[in-house]
Amino acid sequence: MAPNPQTSPMSDADLSRHAKRAVLASTVGTMIEWYDFYLYGLVAAIVFGKLYFPSQDPYAATLLAFSTFFLGFVARPVGAIIFGHFGDRIGRKGTLVATLMLMGISTVFIGLVPTYEHIGIWGAVALTVLRVLQGIGVGGEWGGAIAVATEWSKFNKSRGLAASWPQFGSPLGMLLAVGMLTLTLQFGTTEWFETIGWRIPFLVSALLIVVGLYIRLGVLETPVFQRMQEKKEIAQAPVIEAVRGFWKEILLTCLMRTGQQAPFVIFTTFLLSYGTSQLGLQKSFLFNCVLVAATLSLFTTPFFGYLSDRIGRKRMYLIGAFTMMAFAFPYFWLLDTGVPALIVLAILVSLPIHDMQYAPQAAFIAESFPPSVRYSGSSIGYQLASITSGGPAPIIAAFLLHTYGTSAAISAYIAFIAAISFVSTLFLRDRSHDDYTSNAGWVRDEATVAVHRGAAPMAPRAASSPSE
């Protein structure tokens, strides 16, 4: 077992260095995994329908392409269960290495899949299987990345900011994915991009895997997990214990994310399909706009994480959900004007508004579970929203547009799910001032549930803190 940096004779400087490296490793690894995941969604919006699902009806081809995109979201809770179990049983670090490998290898193989023209329907089948593996990999990533970044005493008073850095990996991954596609588009014609060019960004993932592994393999296991090992507090069946003991937190986490994840998919993935087919915009123009918006997120994500340390996670999240409700209709009004400056404004503002929820949610969710089931519980709650929100979002948006013929229907959908987030957040307890390192003091929903096998029953928690 590696030495525990919290109990071994280690200087404050060394402890601080290890904590910062853990945050860096979480951020870079998350960036790579999101690069892989977003890359598929972006390419699915503009290429896959034509190459793998040829149809006389462009609407049907787009729906089929987005359906494989959706399957990646369906697989994410599966990844949360599989890797959540091992993350709480054997450690955060080793589990995150496995998720990175699975995600990266799947992405590389997507870049090698022959099209319908060469192997018929089997191309779509292979694409679907690889997308599912991508979903499993990214589904197991998030909970571990947040735990690795936050389970250090150095971040007790700045956990919102520390947890926002792995979230920072998302816009960074988006930036890298859009940047790679934009760069690739410059090297040839549209025909070249649709035959060869789109594959290059997927193959580049092989290099990113090497970088991610180098950084993650050099990180120590978190002090919180090592302490649980020393005290023999490791959960025997963490997934089962998380679901039985903390099902309310899991459900509320899922619902809370509804108004954050679905709008993000619409703002970044569905936008490409809508912009090219409905507004007649060039792919390169839309890519550049999303590129700049993702760049803004590099600043707004840590800022709103920092702000959640000042005003509280719950308050920050409620402000974000309300702002998303208010923005739902203006977003499409600006797009539908067809005025380039107003289109740019809508896209640039969309992601920072999304970040008002996205940045504080990492610490907010992780703090809702005790250490012994933190990886499992937070991962399952977080990734269930992939089925209820993120995955169906582009399909629902395409259906609403096709059925009602107006973007106002999509705006109403965004406003409705943002309201779900707002209400759900009201019911989720703010535990930012609780002891993040201990299993003690957690209320039980069932007397039979124990955080670890043979543990003594937990005492009821004290009254809520004033910050709730």
Side-chain angles (χ1 to χ4, degrees):
M1 182 187 302
N4 187 335
Q6 296 269 63
T7 59
S8 61
M10 181 177 290
S11 69
D12 290 342
D14 286 337
L15 182 60
S16 178
R17 179 170 54 83
H18 283 294
K20 290 177 180 178
R21 176 156 186 163
V23 172
L24 174 64
S26 294
T27 304
V28 172
T30 303
M31 174 203 73
I32 294 170
E33 296 223 17
W34 283 120
Y35 165 81
D36 293 344
F37 200 75
Y38 290 147
L39 185 60
Y40 186 101
L42 294 168
V43 177
I46 57 176
V47 171
F48 283 170
K50 180 186 299 185
L51 298 183
Y52 292 95
F53 306 96
S55 170
Q56 297 301 317
D57 183 357
Y59 168 67
T62 299
L63 278 186
L64 286 171
F66 278 142
S67 295
T68 64
F69 178 72
F70 175 46
L71 285 175
F73 282 86
V74 172
R76 284 166 66 171
V78 177
I81 292 171
I82 294 172
F83 291 107
H85 170 82
F86 289 108
D88 283 328
R89 286 285 295 145
I90 67 174
R92 313 337 190 176
K93 172 185 171 179
T95 306
L96 285 180
V97 170
T99 65
L100 183 64
M101 289 292 295
L102 177 61
M103 188 69 175
I105 292 173
S106 301
T107 302
V108 171
F109 275 99
I110 287 174
L112 300 173
V113 174
T115 63
Y116 184 92
E117 181 182 356
H118 295 94
I119 60 173
I121 193 63
W122 290 108
V125 171
L127 206 63
T128 301
V129 171
L130 291 169
R131 179 58 175 176
V132 168
L133 292 177
Q134 270 196 326
I136 293 174
V138 81
E141 162 74 17
W142 184 85
I146 301 304
V148 165
T150 59
E151 290 184 341
W152 299 78
S153 60
K154 174 180 174 61
F155 303 125
N156 284 346
K157 294 182 179 179
S158 58
R159 194 174 301 118
L161 177 59
S164 73
W165 285 110
Q167 302 290 77
F168 174 91
S170 175
L172 201 57
M174 169 64 73
L175 190 66
L176 189 59
V178 175
M180 282 296 300
L181 285 172
T182 302
L183 183 63
T184 306
L185 279 167
Q186 309 305 314
F187 284 99
T189 63
T190 299
E191 291 73 22
W192 174 83
F193 178 80
E194 292 179 352
T195 54
I196 299 174
W198 69 267
R199 298 181 183 274
I200 295 174
F202 286 92
L203 300 178
V204 167
S205 185
L207 299 177
L208 298 179
I209 297 173
V210 176
V211 175
L213 285 176
Y214 172 76
I215 295 175
R216 283 197 166 171
L217 289 172
V219 175
L220 293 176
E221 185 56 81
T222 73
V224 170
F225 186 81
Q226 291 199 25
R227 185 179 295 113
M228 287 194 299
Q229 287 181 316
E230 293 165 1
K231 293 183 177 181
K232 303 188 186 306
E233 293 182 344
I234 301 299
Q236 299 301 307
V239 171
I240 294 175
E241 292 172 15
V243 172
R244 294 179 65 187
F246 303 97
W247 62 269
K248 291 179 182 177
E249 286 81 359
I250 290 174
L251 178 61
L252 288 173
T253 293
C254 171
L255 293 174
M256 182 183 78
R257 290 201 65 221
T258 300
Q260 168 266 310
Q261 192 181 40
F264 178 79
V265 175
I266 291 173
F267 294 160
T268 57
T269 299
F270 178 76
L271 168 70
L272 300 179
S273 174
Y274 182 81
T276 53
S277 62
Q278 298 295 317
L279 304 179
L281 300 173
Q282 296 295 317
K283 297 184 184 74
S284 57
F285 171 75
L286 293 171
F287 276 152
N288 288 333
C289 289
V290 175
L291 199 63
V292 177
T295 302
L296 289 177
S297 281
L298 299 183
F299 299 93
T300 54
T301 298
F303 171 74
F304 289 124
Y306 165 81
L307 196 57
S308 77
D309 286 322
R310 307 278 76 82
I311 69 174
R313 322 262 190 260
K314 188 169 184 174
R315 185 176 301 169
M316 184 71 252
Y317 208 93
L318 289 171
I319 292 172
F322 181 82
T323 306
M324 182 63 75
M325 279 190 282
F327 181 65
F329 284 92
Y331 174 70
F332 276 100
W333 290 341
L334 291 170
L335 290 181
D336 292 343
T337 63
V339 178
L342 296 180
I343 293 173
V344 170
L345 177 63
I347 297 172
L348 296 193
V349 172
S350 65
L351 292 191
I353 288 178
H354 157 269
D355 296 337
M356 297 173 74
Q357 296 175 80
Y358 188 66
Q361 82 180 191
F364 195 11
I365 294 172
E367 290 165 348
S368 298
F369 300 90
S372 55
V373 295
R374 178 167 293 143
Y375 200 142
S376 301
S378 62
S379 293
I380 293 171
Y382 186 88
Q383 302 299 353
L384 276 176
S386 301
I387 296 178
T388 62
S389 178
I395 299 175
I396 292 174
F399 170 78
L400 290 173
L401 183 65
H402 181 75
T403 302
Y404 297 101
T406 173
S407 62
I410 307 174
S411 295
Y413 167 60
I414 293 175
F416 174 71
I417 57 180
I420 292 176
S421 280
F422 187 90
V423 173
S424 301
T425 303
L426 290 174
F427 288 96
L428 189 63
R429 183 175 189 162
D430 188 341
R431 296 180 181 269
S432 56
H433 294 285
D434 291 1
D435 186 352
Y436 190 67
T437 67
S438 175
N439 288 318
W442 288 81
V443 175
R444 291 339 211 24
D445 290 312
E446 296 182 31
T448 56
V449 178
V451 169
H452 60 281
R453 182 168 292 178
M458 288 186 177
R461 276 197 81 257
S464 301
S465 66
S467 65
E468 290 189 9

